[in-house]
Amino acid sequence: MPGRYAKVIVDPSVPDEVAAVLRDNRKLLLRMRAGWVPPYTGRLPLAGAARAAAAVTALLAALYGLVLFGAERYTPFAVIMTVSALLMVAVLLKPRPDAQTRRRIALEREVYEIARAHEGRYVLRDRLDEQARALLTRAQTAIDQVMSSSVHADGLLDGARNGVMLPAQEWEIARLVAKLSELRAEHRAIIAEGVTPEVEAVAEPLARALDSSEKAVLARVEALERYAGHVADAERAYRARSQIERLGARLHRYEELLAETGADGAEIPELKRLSDDADRLEQALRDSVSSAHEAFRHLGG
């Protein structure tokens, strides 16, 4: 589900099974971004072949040693048998890659190939700078508020469009802040070297371009937050209406209790206003949902 502070944000157009591999292997992706490359699985059989070759060599050396022994050439015999013994020890002590190791290496290679094939279609939160992470967190918080609301779950909002539009918004914001973060880091690194007035004349408008781009992304985030705010208003009205309805359904029991205890004089006037309150909250709910739909249309535009 989008919005739940995902650490790997994937383009919604990526197939679900591929996106799942990327999301589930964040640490591997971080290592790969740092330059690490997993070994090819094809190296494993080569290791087995080397082991077999060493064993055959040790056996042939032992047989040759026996020939030398028969010829009473004891010094070469001792040397050959020592070499044969060392080769056999090396074969026996060399660890064999077990099934678990093979599966791990195969998974690492699969993740590597998938990541290369989908470069630019996923964003790692850990690779963002502080400003970019803050914007992404705000966007994900707003999305989570909408997707976890009762008015969404119970169909008062456009659930189908939420399910498409909100992941698309999360991805677009993540993609843009990732570019901002990368360009900011490069810009700061160059400026930190010390610049001449000529370079500064070029760098200053580029810095303004970065600021303008960040403001544009911020506007996207604020649009999401406005939508989430309208949904929160609808959620409060929806919850209050449900509570009023549950209290209203029990009204006759309160009235019976008052009559049975002879406490009619202590009648609670607020009980009489339950139906009016329910009508008022129903209207508030309709207004809130209408405002949320309007905000959503603006978001989609």
Side-chain angles (χ1 to χ4, degrees):
M1 176 184 296
R4 290 192 177 275
Y5 312 106
K7 295 184 177 180
V8 181
I9 301 88
V10 184
D11 182 345
S13 64
V14 171
D16 290 344
E17 61 275 13
V18 173
V21 171
L22 293 171
R23 292 190 186 101
D24 292 343
N25 292 278
R26 177 180 63 90
K27 292 182 179 179
L28 274 179
L29 294 175
L30 287 171
R31 291 171 64 191
M32 292 170 191
R33 284 294 179 89
W36 176 76
V37 177
Y40 283 96
T41 53
R43 292 178 185 174
L44 293 176
L46 291 178
R51 180 193 297 274
V56 170
T57 301
L59 179 61
L60 291 176
L63 292 174
Y64 182 56
L66 292 176
V67 171
L68 291 174
F69 183 81
E72 298 183 351
R73 298 179 61 186
Y74 300 117
T75 300
F77 164 75
V79 173
I80 289 296
M81 293 306 291
T82 299
V83 171
S84 175
L86 290 174
L87 281 172
M88 290 305 297
V89 169
V91 168
L92 293 173
L93 292 182
K94 184 175 178 62
R96 295 173 178 268
D98 57 18
Q100 184 176 358
T101 301
R102 288 175 179 272
R103 284 195 297 270
R104 176 181 58 77
I105 293 175
L107 172 63
E108 290 173 348
R109 197 69 208 177
E110 179 190 10
V111 174
Y112 178 75
E113 297 298 342
I114 287 175
R116 287 183 61 193
H118 294 84
E119 184 65 34
R121 300 181 70 186
Y122 67 93
V123 169
L124 295 167
R125 171 189 282 273
D126 307 71
R127 302 275 298 183
L128 303 177
D129 63 23
E130 186 176 350
Q131 293 165 262
R133 280 197 302 271
L135 280 176
L136 180 59
T137 297
R138 286 175 60 179
Q140 291 179 318
T141 299
I143 292 171
D144 187 53
Q145 288 174 353
V146 174
M147 299 298 283
S148 62
S149 67
S150 298
V151 289
H152 169 75
D154 292 347
L156 276 73
L157 304 176
D158 191 337
R161 288 195 68 196
N162 273 341
V164 173
M165 182 69 72
L166 295 182
Q169 287 289 327
E170 180 184 29
W171 164 245
E172 188 64 10
I173 290 169
R175 184 183 69 82
L176 291 172
V177 297
K179 285 191 172 183
L180 266 171
S181 183
E182 183 178 359
L183 284 173
R184 261 197 303 254
E186 294 172 358
H187 190 84
R188 288 167 181 165
I190 293 172
I191 298 302
E193 296 173 2
V195 295
T196 64
E198 293 83 2
V199 175
E200 187 174 355
V202 175
E204 186 175 341
L206 293 179
R208 288 199 301 270
L210 289 174
D211 292 339
S212 298
S213 298
E214 183 172 20
K215 288 177 182 176
V217 177
L218 176 60
R220 284 178 173 269
V221 174
E222 289 174 340
L224 269 177
E225 290 175 330
R226 282 193 297 273
Y227 177 47
H230 288 301
V231 171
D233 290 339
E235 181 80 354
R236 284 190 291 271
Y238 188 52
R239 186 180 300 112
R241 188 191 68 171
S242 173
Q243 292 168 336
I244 288 292
E245 287 175 349
R246 280 151 47 204
L247 286 171
R250 293 167 175 77
L251 179 58
H252 69 283
R253 295 169 59 190
Y254 288 89
E255 292 171 337
E256 287 175 1
L257 178 62
L258 288 172
E260 290 174 7
T261 57
D264 288 341
E267 184 174 346
I268 305 173
E270 283 77 7
L271 292 178
K272 297 298 185 182
R273 294 204 295 268
L274 279 176
S275 60
D276 293 339
D277 288 342
D279 291 340
R280 177 177 56 79
L281 287 167
E282 178 69 29
Q283 183 59 48
L285 176 61
R286 283 198 297 267
D287 292 344
S288 298
V289 170
S290 177
S291 297
H293 281 303
E294 184 63 31
F296 185 77
R297 281 195 293 272
H298 177 71
L299 183 68

